[in-house]
């Protein structure tokens, strides 16, 4: 076997860390007001920025209501651009011949006159803006404020990136409901103590257990895997494109390994077990396309609990690198790279690819396409 | 000499050219060289994952990795020894540098547009064709007569984050009111650009020229307005090229320069970056023009399925934004339904297992099939993605048949509701491109996927892009058409062969025709049985005279029961005779279906299947 190695093999991996420095940007959808200062300590729920989203617009075809040509509209406007109006207030008015008939246009909403056009004869009225506030999501120190759009919060935390999630941001105490990472979470593992918590299952969770967790008011669920079909049962619809996070479900669910029943990686499980009882911030939002976003579990910890000497995985693989296989027939298996032959090889499907030889945890040596492994510190 | 980024470049003397495509999943670099005989040839390729996302957020990282692979394989030094990615230019005549660097891109979601027109079936449809032809993905399309109340239209628009809006409407000199109303809606909704909330969203106006000054006045305060020629100056004419050109210009100048991670790429290229589908489409048009034929093409990507047709000189591109082989593979499953995928599999697999495998491909999109089972699953999904994509394409590839009734807007025109003008029996060539089709372990697999998915009819030549370089050649052709055509001919288009399809239906395995094939030194006679497929080994660069004689109810393109005599080209797969009938129906029962699929696969030696068993 060749001993020549490709020097820049790049395989993306998910971060799983006992302690790392998290820098979280909290960005407003539109420029607005930043409510905190650089260096300030903030709590999880503290509002750090707010803005206003422009109100809705309604357009009224005034010319037709007044029975005039559009270019005549200016003469009949009773309100100016920018002027406030109440719902049903008259905004344009026309007296007929000898004042015998009148035509009027009333505002369909409360708001401001935004615009009127002598080309179309339309008047647009915009409602008051809607207030949008964003909280800190994680406790920590304000590292910087970015003009009037965003703040960056820094904290020390354990971090686990999942592979797929549904549901948005949630905060709650970590509660480990199973003994082993290979165990399936069943209804008997869920009880009233799960209320408001982020539950940690093992390899998977039954539909009944998930339902029970929702009934008890749990906020999050972290498991190794779930059947892809089960996601449909939970949501009531199929997910076609992996862009999630906006589902209206009471329980945010994060899969750490993938679809199916898959043992949660021991390191992931151990971190969650160690920090049981700690407050976590989680987000199921996943976007595989156009700027990858992976679901995250952030468990803020004290500085003294933090060991930052932990090996940081770089973006390259080489002999000895710990990896996870992410495609059938070894899906989910963990191992170490033993060889990275530079020559193109052939696998069962006859695909000519660059391969990696992996020694699995059980001692077997298998050859897999390099594209089918990811860096993973197990 | 041509002007490249303001500098004069001696195009006739291009010796080494680097071209890249920054795709949503993979960055693909290709190196082309002018040989001693003056011909341009493809000499090396390199690929690496695209790095548009965190932690890199800089496409030049993936670009460097892909180019470095070319350096390793070809021995040419292309990258400067600097921390920042820099391509050495010009070529030193020996082993360092290139004379030209061009690129296409679809990463970061490609070019995303909103189109708006007045009449849904007229100007809005033309706007869609213009935007799609420019390589865009359409996020939404709006018309005055689309039945959506005005405030709902505004509501829909205001939360979208497009890269650009294309507004059209009205014939030149016609009524202005409706197109101005549409401009008013855009003004009221004030959608923000996807990248950089501080810059003005570009709006391209390609409607009634009399309305242009008013539209500009109405929108210029909040948008960057660019006026171009009307894409429907009169009812009977669709003039989409000027709008497409402006879209490309704005894509480079306004969109790419604001897209995170792209700033550096924009500075590296010798000519503007083109959207990947625009590059692909440009090359498919070039092929149709060069051979004067009707062509169907498919770019089956990770996120989208692009279908191109050049039919009787009409070019149409459609994009099914959520049908793809990786990011949106789950959507193929959702749209096609599991049974339509399972029907192409010659082995049993539980529904749960199949769902999980597809789901896992979706969340780990860069993985590749290691087992034959996984390969067959991907090929089944590919057939369905193309089938659905083509269905969508046909709804855009239809005649402009506006009939003037009266001068009101909601029902002024009557559009003939004909599914499409594309007659499959008149298609001369089908081209497949995209990672899956370009990289099938055996070319026979690509041939079968194209035949099955498009339900090819008549006598059709089948080709694939050998190493996924159509987009590269498309952008290269804007600078040096000869170089692009040379590479296309010699290295890009792989001739799979020709398929002769017997269209029609039967209930039994009867003889439905005969085919005689004669080459210079050999002749073959094939009795065509219903439900069967066979191949004749007429290899690359070989031609054969064929006579296809269908029985009464069957048609090979000349009409029912009519014999067709012609000369066809062979290829890697040879001449495929498809007697499975059209529309292609697969047996309902698993055992029968499995037997049919294995028989078809084996007839063209598509997979390593021995003794009727999946290895």
């Amino acid at each position: 076997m060749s001993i020549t190695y490709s020097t820049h093999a790049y395989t993306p991996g998910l971060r799983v860390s006992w302690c790392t420095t998290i820098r979280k940007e909290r960005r407003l959808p539109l420029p607005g007001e930043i409510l905190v200062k650089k260096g300030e300590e903030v709590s999880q729920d503290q509002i750090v920025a707010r803005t206003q989203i422009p109100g809705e617009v309604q357009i009224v075809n005034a010319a037709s209501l007044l029975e005039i040509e559009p270019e005549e509209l200016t003469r009949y406007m009773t309100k100016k651009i920018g002027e406030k109006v109440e719902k049903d207030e008259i905004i344009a008015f026309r007296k007929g011949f000898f004042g015998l008939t009148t035509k009027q246009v009333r505002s369909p909403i409360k708001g401001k006159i935004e615009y009127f056009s002598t080309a179309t004869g339309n008047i647009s009225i915009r409602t008051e803006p809607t207030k949008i506030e964003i909280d800190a999501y994680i406790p920590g120190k304000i590292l910087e404020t970015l003009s009037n759009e965003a703040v960056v919060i820094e904290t020390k935390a354990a971090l686990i990136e999942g592979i797929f999630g549904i549901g948005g941001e949630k905060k709650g105490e970590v509660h480990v409901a199973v003994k082993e990472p290979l165990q399936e979470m069943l209804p008997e593992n869920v009880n009233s103590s799960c209320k408001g918590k982020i539950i940690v299952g093992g390899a998977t969770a039954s539909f009944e257990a998930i339902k029970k967790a929702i009934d008890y008011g749990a906020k999050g669920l972290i498991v190794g895997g779930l059947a892809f079909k089960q996601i449909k049962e939970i949501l009531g619809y199929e997910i076609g494109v992996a862009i999630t996070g906006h589902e209206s479900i009471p329980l945010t669910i994060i899969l750490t390994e993938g679809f199916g029943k898959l043992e949660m990686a021991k390191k992931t499980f151990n971190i969650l077990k160690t920090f049981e009882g700690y407050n976590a911030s989680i987000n199921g939002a996943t976007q595989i396309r156009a700027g990858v976003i992976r679901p995250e579990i952030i468990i803020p910890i004290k500085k003294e609990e933090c060991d930052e000497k932990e090996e940081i995985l770089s973006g390259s693989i080489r002999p000895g690198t710990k990896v996870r296989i992410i495609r059938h027939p070894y899906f989910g298996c963990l191992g170490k790279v033993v060889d990275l032959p530079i020559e193109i090889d052939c696998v069962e499907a006859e695909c000519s690819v660059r391969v990696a030889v992996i020694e699995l945890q059980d001692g077997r040596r298998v050859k897999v396409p390099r594209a089918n492994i990811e860096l993973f510190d197990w | 000499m041509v002007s490249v980024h303001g500098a004069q470049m001696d195009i006739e003397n291009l010796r080494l050219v680097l071209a890249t495509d920054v795709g949503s999943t993979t960055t693909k670099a290709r190196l082309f060289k002018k040989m001693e005989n003056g011909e341009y040839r493809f000499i090396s390729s390199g690929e690496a994952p695209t790095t548009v996302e965190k932690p890199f957020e800089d496409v030049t990282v993936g670009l460097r990795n892909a180019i470095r692979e070319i350096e390793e394989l070809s021995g040419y030094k292309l990258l400067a020894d600097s921390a920042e990615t820099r391509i050495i230019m010009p070529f030193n005549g020996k082993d360092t540098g290139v004379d030209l660097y061009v690129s296409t891109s679809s990463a970061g979601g490609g070019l995303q547009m909103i189109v708006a027109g007045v009449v849904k079936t007229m100007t809005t449809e033309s706007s869609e064709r213009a935007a799609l032809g420019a390589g865009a993905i359409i996020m939404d399309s709006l018309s005055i007569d689309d039945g959506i109340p005005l405030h709902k239209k505004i509501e829909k628009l205001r939360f979208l984050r497009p890269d650009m809006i294309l507004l059209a409407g009205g014939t030149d000199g016609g009524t202005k009111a409706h197109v101005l109303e549409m401009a008013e809606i855009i003004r009221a909704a004030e959608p923000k650009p996807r990248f950089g909330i501080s810059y003005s969203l570009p709006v391209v106006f390609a409607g009634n020229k009399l309305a242009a000054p008013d539209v500009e006045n109405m929108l210029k305060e909040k948008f960057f307005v660019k006026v171009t020629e009307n894409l429907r100056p009169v009812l009977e004419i669709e003039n989409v090229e000027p709008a497409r050109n402006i879209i490309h210009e704005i894509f480079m100048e306004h969109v790419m320069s604001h897209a995170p991670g792209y700033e550096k790429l924009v500075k590296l290229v010798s000519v503007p970056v083109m959207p990947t589908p625009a590059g692909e489409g440009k090359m498919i048009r070039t092929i149709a023009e060069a051979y004067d034929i009707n062509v169907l093409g498919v770019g089956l990507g990770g996120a989208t399925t692009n279908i191109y047709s050049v039919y009787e000189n009409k070019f149409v591109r459609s994009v099914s934004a959520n049908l793809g082989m990786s990011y949106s593979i789950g959507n193929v499953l959702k749209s096609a339904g599991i049974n339509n995928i399972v029907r192409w599999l010659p082995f049993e697999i539980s529904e749960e297992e199949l769902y999980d495998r597809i789901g896992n491909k979706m969340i780990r999109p860069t993985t590749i099939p290691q087992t034959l089972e996984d390969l067959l699953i991907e090929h089944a999904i590919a057939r369905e993605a193309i089938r659905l994509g083509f269905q969508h394409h046909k709804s855009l590839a239809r005649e402009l048949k506006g009939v003037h009734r009266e001068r009101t807007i909601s029902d002024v025109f009557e559009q003939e509701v004909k599914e499409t003008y594309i007659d499959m029996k008149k298609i001369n060539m089908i081209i497949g491109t995209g990672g899956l089709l370009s990289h099938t372990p055996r070319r026979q697999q690509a041939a079968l996927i194209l035949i099955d998915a498009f339900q090819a009819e008549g006598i059709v030549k089948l080709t694939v892009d050998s190493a996924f370089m159509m987009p590269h050649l498309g952008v290269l052709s804007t600078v040096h058409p000869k170089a692009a055509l040379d590479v296309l001919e010699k290295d890009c288009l792989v001739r799979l062969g020709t398929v002769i399809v017997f269209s029609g239906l039967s209930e039994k395995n009867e003889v439905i025709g005969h085919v005689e094939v004669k080459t210079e030194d050999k002749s073959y006679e094939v009795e065509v049985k219903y439900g069967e497929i066979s191949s004749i080994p007429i290899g690359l660069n070989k031609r054969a005279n064929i006579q296809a004689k269908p029985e009464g109810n069957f048609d090979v393109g000349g009409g029912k029961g009519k014999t067709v005599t012609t000369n066809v080209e062979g290829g890697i797969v040879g001449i495929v005779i498809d007697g499975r009938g059209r529309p292609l129906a697969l047996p309902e029962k698993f055992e029968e279906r499995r037997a049919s699929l294995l028989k078809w696969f084996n007839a063209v030696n598509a997979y390593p299947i021995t003794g009727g068993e999946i290895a």
Side-chain angles (χ1 to χ4, degrees):
Chain A
M1 200 164 272
S2 167
I3 51 157
T4 317
Y5 304 109
S6 170
T7 50
H8 57 272
Y10 163 90
T11 312
L14 301 170
R15 289 170 68 198
V16 174
S17 173
W18 284 94
C19 177
T20 187
T21 302
I22 304 277
R23 291 194 182 98
K24 197 88 203 152
E25 187 181 279
R26 306 293 284 162
R27 183 172 286 276
L28 289 165
L30 287 172
E33 190 187 355
I34 303 297
L35 305 172
V36 289
K37 290 198 172 68
K38 189 178 172 182
E40 191 178 329
E41 291 283 343
V42 292
S43 65
Q44 257 182 335
D45 298 316
Q46 191 173 334
I47 304 298
V48 292
R50 68 169 162 238
T51 190
Q52 292 189 324
I53 288 187
E56 290 174 31
V57 169
Q58 290 254 344
I59 295 181
V60 194
N61 193 318
S64 72
L65 291 171
L66 297 173
E67 294 177 0
I68 55 168
E69 291 302 318
E71 55 268 29
E72 297 176 280
L73 182 59
T74 317
R75 280 168 57 194
Y76 300 107
M77 289 294 294
T78 57
K79 295 282 177 187
K80 292 190 186 102
I81 288 175
E83 203 169 331
K84 284 186 177 174
V85 292
E86 292 298 319
K87 185 173 187 296
D88 293 327
E89 193 178 343
I90 293 172
I91 52 176
F93 179 84
R94 181 174 81 90
K95 253 189 193 166
F97 286 119
F98 312 112
L100 293 176
T101 57
T102 57
K103 301 280 177 195
Q104 58 202 30
V105 181
R106 291 176 185 272
S107 174
I109 49 169
K110 182 183 174 186
K112 262 184 196 172
I113 303 290
E114 162 139 317
Y115 179 78
F116 69 88
S117 165
T118 52
T120 59
N122 288 343
I123 304 173
S124 37
I125 309 108
R126 195 182 286 273
T127 61
E128 289 299 316
T130 316
K131 195 196 280 181
I132 300 278
E133 291 182 332
I134 51 168
D135 65 13
Y137 175 56
I138 54 166
K141 190 185 269 187
I142 302 294
L143 187 70
E144 58 182 324
T145 59
L146 306 168
S147 67
N148 51 355
E149 287 174 26
V151 299
V152 179
I153 303 161
E154 186 182 85
T155 196
K156 294 278 180 207
L159 170 73
I160 296 161
E161 281 183 338
I163 184 73
F164 180 81
I166 49 174
E169 290 180 355
K170 296 277 163 57
K171 294 162 228 158
E173 199 179 287
V174 177
H175 169 79
V176 182
V178 294
K179 290 198 173 87
E180 299 292 335
L182 186 58
Q183 198 182 328
E184 176 177 351
M185 189 178 95
L186 297 168
E188 53 265 36
N189 304 116
V190 182
N191 53 43
S192 59
S193 70
C194 294
K195 185 177 168 59
K197 306 259 174 80
I198 311 285
I199 312 174
V200 179
T204 191
S206 71
F207 183 67
E208 291 69 30
I210 295 172
K211 209 171 160 294
K212 205 169 163 189
I214 293 171
D215 291 344
Y216 275 122
K219 288 196 173 168
L221 171 67
I222 303 159
V223 281
L226 277 183
F228 192 30
K229 272 191 93 175
Q230 207 170 322
I231 301 286
K232 183 183 169 186
E233 285 166 22
I234 295 164
L235 293 175
Y237 59 88
E238 268 177 71
I239 291 212
V241 181
I243 299 176
T244 65
H246 299 291
E247 298 73 24
S248 54
I249 45 166
L251 186 76
T252 286
I253 300 175
I254 295 177
L255 315 184
T256 59
E257 318 298 313
F259 293 112
K261 182 181 176 182
L262 298 159
E263 179 179 1
M264 185 183 285
K266 287 197 176 60
K267 182 177 177 185
T268 308
F269 188 80
N270 288 342
I271 291 175
L272 293 165
K273 185 80 187 156
T274 303
F275 295 119
E276 186 165 15
Y278 281 55
N279 257 327
S281 302
I282 66 166
N283 189 353
T286 309
Q287 182 173 308
I288 315 272
R289 168 180 175 176
V292 172
I293 299 170
R294 293 291 187 190
E296 63 188 11
I297 302 145
I298 299 170
I299 310 171
I301 53 177
K302 290 184 194 130
K303 219 175 178 180
E304 54 273 22
E305 292 172 307
C306 191
D307 174 18
E308 287 195 271
K309 284 176 194 152
E310 190 184 7
E311 187 193 350
I312 295 166
L313 294 175
S314 67
S316 62
I317 52 167
R318 54 192 76 244
T321 305
K322 291 176 179 174
V323 294
R324 167 160 56 191
I325 303 178
I326 51 175
R327 182 88 191 220
H328 187 74
Y330 307 108
F331 186 84
C333 291
L334 303 173
K336 277 184 183 173
V337 174
V338 248
D339 194 16
L340 291 167
I342 199 163
E343 296 83 15
I344 302 286
D345 208 330
C346 191
V347 292
E348 182 200 307
E350 295 184 329
C351 299
S352 294
V353 289
R354 284 199 164 167
V355 298
V357 180
I358 311 295
E359 187 172 283
L360 303 180
Q361 283 176 309
D362 62 11
R364 276 182 301 157
R365 284 193 173 198
V366 297
K367 191 165 71 176
V368 293
R370 283 191 206 176
N372 294 357
I373 54 174
E374 66 182 13
L375 292 166
F376 190 76
D377 183 14
W378 43 269
Chain B
M1 300 287 272
V2 294
S3 174
V4 174
H5 271 348
Q8 290 298 303
M9 185 178 281
D10 182 5
I11 286 301
E12 286 317 304
N13 210 15
L14 283 186
R15 295 158 297 174
L16 204 59
V17 177
L18 177 66
T20 58
D21 172 60
V22 182
S24 53
T25 320
T26 313
T27 298
K28 304 128 197 139
R30 307 286 182 256
L31 192 64
F32 308 121
K33 188 183 179 187
K34 188 178 188 179
M35 311 309 274
E36 279 178 8
N37 62 1
E39 207 172 68
Y40 285 87
R41 298 297 298 263
F42 158 69
I43 57 166
S44 188
S45 71
E47 302 196 354
T50 294
T51 49
V52 72
E53 74 275 5
K54 283 178 184 170
F56 304 101
E57 288 182 320
D58 177 358
V59 292
T60 61
V61 174
L63 190 71
R64 199 162 54 222
N65 288 339
I67 298 172
R68 202 160 281 160
E69 195 162 300
I70 286 192
E71 288 186 324
E72 276 182 11
L73 296 170
S74 70
Y76 285 102
K77 183 171 170 54
L78 310 174
L79 291 164
D81 298 319
S82 55
E84 284 283 290
T85 303
R86 193 169 65 77
I87 290 149
I88 304 169
M89 288 169 104
F91 177 49
N92 72 354
K94 277 168 64 187
D95 55 5
T96 306
V98 292
D99 287 326
L100 182 78
Y101 169 50
V102 292
S103 190
T104 54
S105 174
S106 59
L111 167 61
Q112 304 192 4
M113 290 183 66
I114 292 171
V115 299
V118 172
V119 182
K120 192 173 161 55
T121 53
M122 301 286 293
T123 44
T124 310
E125 207 172 283
S126 293
S127 309
E128 285 178 7
R129 279 190 283 263
L132 289 165
I137 285 167
I138 295 177
M139 300 173 87
D140 212 336
S141 77
L142 298 167
S143 314
I144 292 292
D145 68 339
D146 58 12
I148 301 169
L150 223 106
H151 68 280
K152 290 266 182 206
K153 279 192 183 97
I154 297 170
E155 199 53 31
K156 261 177 92 173
L157 264 183
R158 66 198 291 247
F159 293 112
L160 293 175
R161 294 276 178 273
D163 294 318
M164 212 184 293
I165 297 177
L166 173 62
L167 170 63
T171 51
D172 280 342
T175 174
K176 297 195 299 187
H178 299 295
V179 70
L180 289 178
E181 197 167 307
M182 198 43 96
E184 246 170 30
I185 291 168
I186 294 168
R187 187 186 192 279
E190 214 186 326
K192 296 278 179 281
R194 187 158 59 112
F195 301 122
I197 51 179
S198 56
Y199 92 106
S200 302
L201 179 69
V203 176
V204 175
F205 178 67
N208 180 357
K209 63 181 178 190
L210 290 185
D214 292 332
V215 168
E216 226 176 337
N217 276 334
M218 197 181 284
L219 299 178
K220 70 181 178 194
E221 199 186 307
K222 297 179 173 180
F223 300 89
F224 169 77
V225 186
K226 190 95 179 170
V227 177
T228 186
E229 287 172 46
N230 191 349
L231 48 76
R232 289 296 283 270
V234 290
L235 277 181
E236 296 75 16
I237 293 173
E238 188 174 80
N239 174 35
V240 290
E241 285 307 316
R244 279 181 190 159
N245 292 339
I246 292 285
I247 292 168
H248 284 164
E249 209 178 279
I250 294 178
F251 176 68
M252 179 70 180
E253 286 172 15
H254 290 260
V255 182
M256 296 297 288
S257 53
H258 287 93
Y262 274 92
E263 308 87 339
K264 294 179 195 164
L265 175 69
V266 167
K267 287 176 193 152
L268 289 176
V269 288
S270 311
V271 295
V273 177
M274 205 182 226
T276 304
E280 213 164 67
K282 177 117 184 54
M283 223 44 224
I284 287 170
R285 288 167 87 175
T286 307
I287 295 164
E289 280 161 21
Y291 303 119
D292 192 22
I293 52 172
N294 292 327
V295 177
L296 268 183
V298 54
L300 180 60
T304 60
T305 296
N306 288 283
I307 307 277
Y308 307 87
S309 63
V310 186
Y311 189 87
E312 290 168 355
N313 302 321
K314 288 190 284 282
F315 169 67
V316 171
R317 168 191 170 241
S318 65
V319 56
S320 300
N322 285 327
L323 293 177
M325 291 308 298
S326 56
Y327 300 115
S328 21
I329 197 166
N331 214 45
V332 182
L333 169 67
K334 189 176 164 182
S335 308
I338 193 131
N339 291 337
N340 274 329
I341 291 169
V342 166
R343 68 185 174 140
W344 299 108
L345 298 177
F347 58 88
E348 279 185 299
I349 182 166
S350 74
E351 217 174 86
E352 286 71 21
E353 172 73 11
L354 187 55
Y355 261 89
D356 285 348
R357 289 211 203 167
I358 295 172
N360 284 320
K361 170 77 182 181
M362 176 176 79
I363 55 177
R364 288 187 164 107
T366 54
T367 60
I368 52 179
Q370 172 161 5
T371 62
L372 183 56
E373 258 188 28
D374 256 16
L375 183 75
L376 284 158
I377 291 171
E378 288 205 2
H379 290 178
I381 296 166
R383 283 175 169 87
E384 288 304 305
I386 300 172
R387 179 180 68 82
L388 293 168
F390 189 40
Q391 229 169 51
H392 172 52
H393 183 87
K394 287 190 274 194
S395 69
L396 279 166
R398 56 180 193 176
E399 300 284 2
L400 303 174
K401 282 193 178 169
V403 179
H404 201 161
R405 279 211 315 244
E406 57 177 297
R407 288 178 69 85
T408 61
I409 199 63
S410 58
D411 57 357
V412 179
F413 307 106
E414 189 179 80
Q415 190 92 18
E416 185 178 316
V417 187
K418 186 181 170 190
E419 192 198 28
T420 180
Y421 52 63
I422 296 174
D423 175 356
M424 289 304 288
K425 292 189 186 78
K426 289 185 181 166
I427 293 294
N428 308 99
M429 187 195 275
I430 298 178
I431 305 170
T433 181
L436 184 137
L437 290 167
S438 290
H439 297 313
T440 50
R442 295 186 188 184
R443 297 288 188 195
Q444 285 85 346
Q445 294 158 6
L448 273 188
I449 292 169
L450 292 175
I451 296 170
D452 294 347
F454 280 110
Q455 300 244 344
E457 291 192 65
I459 298 171
V460 195
K461 191 195 278 190
L462 304 171
T463 59
V464 287
D465 177 357
S466 67
F468 189 63
M469 55 178 144
M470 291 268 223
H472 306 72
L473 296 179
V475 63
L476 174 60
S477 74
T478 63
V479 184
H480 200 307
K482 181 194 174 315
L485 268 174
D486 279 358
V487 180
L488 177 86
E489 271 292 323
K490 301 281 178 184
D491 304 303
C492 172
L493 272 194
V494 177
R495 273 76 171 171
L496 300 175
T498 298
V499 61
I500 303 167
V501 182
F502 285 71
S503 295
L505 289 173
S506 174
E507 282 177 3
K508 50 185 190 235
N509 189 18
E510 60 181 349
V511 174
I512 57 170
H514 293 81
V515 177
E516 282 175 31
V517 178
K518 281 183 186 159
T519 63
E520 277 176 3
D521 49 357
K522 276 187 181 166
S523 64
Y524 305 82
E525 276 191 30
V526 179
E527 186 182 69
V528 186
K529 279 191 176 163
Y530 187 72
E532 292 187 359
I533 195 167
S534 58
S535 69
I536 298 170
I538 308 294
L540 277 174
N541 305 318
K542 295 266 167 61
R543 299 198 66 92
N545 288 317
I546 61 154
Q547 199 171 51
K549 303 174 197 164
E551 295 291 332
N553 267 332
F554 285 82
D555 185 352
V556 289
K560 282 184 181 172
K562 296 209 170 132
T563 299
V564 174
T565 305
T566 186
N567 182 269
V568 301
E569 195 176 347
I572 293 177
V573 184
I575 292 178
V576 177
I577 298 164
D578 187 350
R580 298 175 299 171
R582 291 293 183 273
L584 181 59
L586 285 99
E588 289 283 323
K589 286 183 186 156
F590 169 71
E591 279 307 328
E592 286 173 30
R593 194 170 63 240
R594 178 177 175 277
S596 290
L597 287 169
L598 291 177
K599 193 167 68 180
W600 299 340
F601 293 163
N602 284 331
V604 294
N605 193 24
Y607 296 94
I609 297 168
T610 47
E613 290 298 321
I614 300 293

